[in-house]
Amino acid sequence: MTRRSCAIYAVGVICATLLVVGIGLIASQTFRRLMHNRLKKEIVLVEGSRVFESWKRPPPPVYMEYFFFNVTNVDEFLAGAKPVVNQVGPYTYREYRYKDNVTMVDDGKMVSGYNTKSFVFLMDKSVGDPALDNITTVNIPAWAVMNKVKGSFWKSSMVSIWMNSIGSGLFTTRTVDELLWGYEDPLLARIAPSNPEVETIFGLMYKKNGSNDGEFVFHTGEQNYLDYGRVETWKGQSQLTFWNSNQSNSINGSDGSAFHPLLKKDERIYIFTPDLCRSIYMEFEKDVEVRGIPAYRFTPPRSVLASKEENPANEGFCITPQECLGTGLLKVSPCRKGAPVVASFPHFYLADSKYAAAIEGMSPERTHHQTYLDLNPTTGIIVRGNKRAQINILMNRISGFPKTRGLNDTIFPVMFLNESVVMDEASAARVHKLLMIVTVVSNFPLVFVALGGIMLLVLIVLLMRERKQKASSEENTSYSPVCEKEKEDPQNGTYIGLTPKVDAQA
């Protein structure tokens, strides 16, 4: 075997080996599985892990915007006309959040902590001064008291007399600061001496600045990466007690701050939110990109707040069969001390159209009113999000209160909030680096395929050169008889002598 033949053989063997190994690794996804297993071990809620510190103190800035609905025709509405509101806002606050009193429990399998939040007003991102701007809106304390005493003639009559004597009406005008952070309500102050459980201060965000929602216990994700950040208990309970079915009372998913890595488009992600007193779910909507980071957008579908007719699984959220509201609404009275509070998406987005049509000034739009989370599917990290929710009050006729006589059943909007976050550039750079490592390692078998391809090209070149050289050798040799007449060998027959080809002109 010549040296050239040996080289061709060696190149062929190397080429075949590289291609077989590379294609085999790609088909088996060995390196991808190795990288994914590494991610599952790195993204866990334990001291020293890649994500633990950022989970305790999220670096991206969070903003909370409040929008109020100012009522412009109170007297006409009380007489039976359609209410007219105009949106005022945003009043924007920088939200600082961190996990407090973080402790490993259950032999390190779980971690407990408190979600502490505080708010600082940002004038440059707001439409006005919350200490000066007045809003006319529903008198929530009055409606809460009226609903509490309805059914009792004596109590209703007494409260009605008190409301008239102190001038407490069905609507009130207060500053944004008072509505958010609290004011002393005269009706509550009148009731408190005889009922110590009643607080005299009312505010939509009263006692929520610098406070927490109670103790959470989370799964670390070490035993199963799908459990990363999942809530095990809230306030010591693994089940809620607000609703009428086990399914409705289930605490599912995370608290909205952590999601397991390696997300898929066909899965539902669950979030437990104390503000709604329930768990909700979100589904994949579309692929997006934030700061160059690929993400899946998950958003709550209409079925989350659908009526029991549209989604029978929601029947457990009906307080009573008579208090089952339509699609897009959730009455949260059980966890709001009986107050007739109704939650929805802003401007009744995804709700039955009759609710928006009943209020002049409602205009639901996906762009401004949709709740969504943009999650990087590899790491599960939030790269952008908007949580939007609206607070409404159920207004209707209540026996014993003449002021309500002209009212029709109305879901009256008070305010909505928009809690937003976008990953900061420093965090995005770290995620980019991690994703690059994951991509390079996962696609390492392509190096074998590429080298195999190069060796295949070398093999083709060598084979072509070998073929060309053989053809050249054949052209430089010919055969001719030894003499003009072929001689016969009695033993061997005709024999031919090879001689160099002679040019006829020589």
Side-chain angles (χ1 to χ4, degrees):
M1 184 179 290
T2 64
R3 184 179 297 176
R4 185 180 299 277
S5 299
C6 288
I8 293 173
Y9 178 78
V11 170
V13 170
I14 295 172
C15 170
T17 302
L18 288 171
L19 288 174
V20 169
V21 171
I23 294 172
L25 289 173
I26 291 174
S28 63
Q29 297 192 340
T30 302
F31 280 81
R32 185 178 294 273
R33 283 206 306 272
L34 288 172
M35 197 65 243
H36 286 180
N37 288 336
R38 182 68 178 174
L39 281 173
K40 293 173 187 177
K41 292 180 180 179
E42 288 278 346
I43 302 179
V44 291
L45 297 179
V46 297
E47 199 71 50
S49 73
R50 184 183 290 272
V51 298
F52 195 57
E53 288 304 318
S54 61
W55 174 75
K56 289 194 294 184
R57 291 185 176 272
V62 180
Y63 297 98
M64 181 71 87
E65 297 176 317
Y66 298 99
F67 298 82
F68 288 86
F69 296 106
N70 186 58
V71 189
T72 60
N73 65 335
V74 171
D75 294 335
E76 292 83 353
F77 170 66
L78 293 177
K82 183 177 181 179
V84 178
V85 302
N86 64 289
Q87 180 178 298
V88 182
Y91 295 91
T92 307
Y93 294 76
R94 170 72 189 271
E95 179 181 327
Y96 294 89
R97 51 167 63 193
Y98 60 93
K99 299 286 193 301
D100 194 18
N101 196 22
V102 175
T103 308
M104 303 306 298
V105 296
D106 195 14
D107 296 327
K109 295 178 183 178
M110 298 188 190
V111 58
S112 66
Y114 295 81
N115 294 329
T116 303
K117 299 178 182 180
S118 59
F119 302 88
V120 177
F121 179 67
L122 301 175
M123 179 65 81
D124 61 322
K125 293 181 178 291
S126 304
V127 297
D129 188 341
L132 301 176
D133 294 356
N134 287 316
I135 301 293
T136 299
T137 187
V138 180
N139 188 348
I140 298 177
W143 281 96
V145 172
M146 288 190 296
N147 274 269
K148 191 75 173 177
V149 300
K150 69 179 180 181
S152 170
F153 175 78
W154 185 86
K155 289 182 179 179
S156 297
S157 300
M158 182 63 66
V159 169
S160 181
I161 294 170
W162 285 348
M163 289 177 65
N164 289 328
S165 65
I166 61 179
S168 181
L170 302 183
F171 288 84
T172 185
T173 299
R174 298 283 176 177
T175 66
V176 171
D177 259 349
E178 288 177 322
L179 290 173
L180 284 176
W181 309 113
Y183 62 92
E184 183 173 83
D185 182 78
L187 180 58
L188 297 179
R190 187 70 176 266
I191 296 172
S194 59
N195 192 339
E197 294 181 0
V198 174
E199 293 229 31
T200 61
I201 306 297
F202 169 79
L204 295 167
M205 295 292 291
Y206 178 55
K207 290 186 176 181
K208 290 188 177 182
N209 196 350
S211 62
N212 61 73
D213 295 319
E215 185 188 40
F216 284 83
V217 175
F218 305 92
H219 287 261
T220 63
E222 279 193 300
Q223 281 69 43
N224 184 345
Y225 82 98
L226 294 174
D227 286 336
Y228 169 73
R230 182 169 68 83
V231 178
E232 176 65 16
T233 63
W234 175 58
K235 292 184 175 180
Q237 298 179 319
S238 57
Q239 282 275 112
L240 303 173
T241 56
F242 304 126
W243 311 110
N244 296 322
S245 70
N246 290 333
Q247 181 178 352
S248 300
N249 281 317
S250 296
I251 297 177
N252 298 320
S254 73
D255 66 342
S257 65
F259 298 92
H260 69 78
L262 309 178
L263 290 164
K264 298 177 181 177
K265 292 181 179 181
D266 61 351
E267 70 177 293
R268 278 181 173 177
I269 60 172
Y270 285 84
I271 300 172
F272 170 67
T273 167
D275 293 332
L276 291 178
C277 318
R278 60 165 288 187
S279 299
I280 66 169
Y281 55 85
M282 306 176 83
E283 295 177 346
F284 173 81
E285 182 186 50
K286 62 182 178 179
D287 290 286
V288 295
E289 189 175 281
V290 182
R291 296 194 188 278
I293 299 172
Y296 292 167
R297 173 162 294 182
F298 286 87
T299 184
R302 178 182 167 95
S303 58
V304 169
L305 295 181
S307 66
K308 65 177 183 179
E309 288 76 23
E310 278 190 41
N311 183 4
N314 285 343
E315 186 172 0
F317 294 112
C318 298
I319 300 169
T320 64
Q322 293 74 30
E323 295 181 274
C324 228
L325 301 178
T327 291
L329 305 178
L330 175 69
K331 192 173 183 180
V332 293
S333 301
C335 60
R336 292 292 180 268
K337 299 180 180 179
V341 179
V342 176
S344 70
F345 293 116
H347 286 250
F348 301 110
Y349 173 69
L350 294 183
D352 286 340
S353 58
K354 65 182 180 180
Y355 298 116
I359 310 290
E360 187 71 36
M362 295 288 100
S363 55
E365 298 177 22
R366 167 180 283 199
T367 304
H368 301 297
H369 304 139
Q370 181 188 45
T371 290
Y372 65 85
L373 283 174
D374 294 339
L375 306 176
N376 175 251
T378 302
T379 61
I381 293 173
I382 301 171
V383 292
R384 181 172 56 195
N386 278 277
K387 183 180 82 172
R388 294 160 170 153
Q390 182 168 297
I391 295 173
N392 312 278
I393 296 296
L394 174 60
M395 303 180 72
N396 52 14
R397 296 186 187 92
I398 299 178
S399 177
F401 295 93
K403 291 181 180 181
T404 67
R405 193 173 298 156
L407 296 181
N408 298 314
D409 287 4
T410 305
I411 306 297
F412 209 102
V414 176
M415 58 87 79
F416 80 85
L417 58 87
N418 176 26
E419 189 176 32
S420 62
V421 62
V422 178
M423 178 174 285
D424 58 290
E425 292 185 2
S427 299
R430 289 193 293 270
V431 174
H432 271 297
K433 184 177 179 181
L434 176 60
L435 293 179
M436 184 182 68
I437 294 171
V438 172
T439 301
V440 170
V441 174
S442 299
N443 294 318
F444 188 72
L446 292 176
V447 175
F448 289 94
V449 176
L451 290 174
I454 293 171
M455 296 303 291
L456 179 60
L457 291 175
V458 172
L459 178 63
I460 292 172
V461 171
L462 290 176
L463 289 173
M464 290 178 65
R465 291 183 63 182
E466 179 73 9
R467 184 185 181 101
K468 185 176 180 181
Q469 187 152 355
K470 282 184 178 181
S472 178
S473 298
E474 289 176 359
E475 288 179 2
N476 290 332
T477 59
S478 64
Y479 68 91
S480 61
V482 174
C483 59
E484 293 181 2
K485 185 179 181 180
E486 292 182 354
K487 296 183 179 180
E488 299 291 334
D489 186 317
Q491 295 180 349
N492 300 320
T494 304
Y495 63 89
I496 299 172
L498 291 177
T499 60
K501 188 173 182 180
V502 181
D503 193 337
Q505 296 178 355

